[in-house]
Amino acid sequence: MAEFIFEGENYWNMRRWKRLDYMNRPVTGWDIQQNTPAMFYRMRTLYTPNNTYREFLAPIAERDLNVNPNLVQNPLW
């Protein structure tokens, strides 16, 4: 996981390893809109991701489903 962290591959590796639950933790940071240092260095939630089971599987293209009638669309797509 550490070798791809700055190459934009971390999301795809986490998805492949079915570890998106790890990425569901809220992103926190400093409150940069404050004027005083005490308020600035206060931690606040910036973003709360909502990855579900649907994000583990990509949809199968409609043309592929039409070509092969034995294919079934991935769940939730």
Side-chain angles (χ1 to χ4, degrees):
M1 198 162 73
E3 60 191 63
F4 291 121
I5 195 157
F6 296 113
E7 296 180 17
E9 301 293 330
N10 194 36
Y11 172 79
W12 298 106
N13 288 332
M14 296 297 274
R15 184 175 166 186
R16 182 177 64 229
W17 299 327
K18 297 192 177 24
R19 297 285 315 270
L20 283 179
D21 56 334
Y22 176 78
M23 294 181 71
N24 264 348
R25 293 186 287 179
V27 177
T28 59
W30 290 336
D31 195 354
I32 62 170
Q33 298 175 348
Q34 301 301 322
N35 296 330
T36 63
M39 297 301 285
F40 177 85
Y41 291 109
R42 180 178 60 162
M43 295 298 284
R44 70 179 205 124
T45 301
L46 302 174
Y47 174 71
T48 304
N50 187 18
N51 294 316
T52 61
Y53 178 72
R54 180 179 182 201
E55 277 76 31
F56 287 124
L57 303 171
I60 299 173
E62 195 69 34
R63 61 179 154 67
D64 294 336
L65 293 171
N66 291 336
V67 169
N68 186 352
N70 294 325
L71 284 177
V72 178
Q73 186 60 272
N74 284 327
L76 303 175
W77 284 99

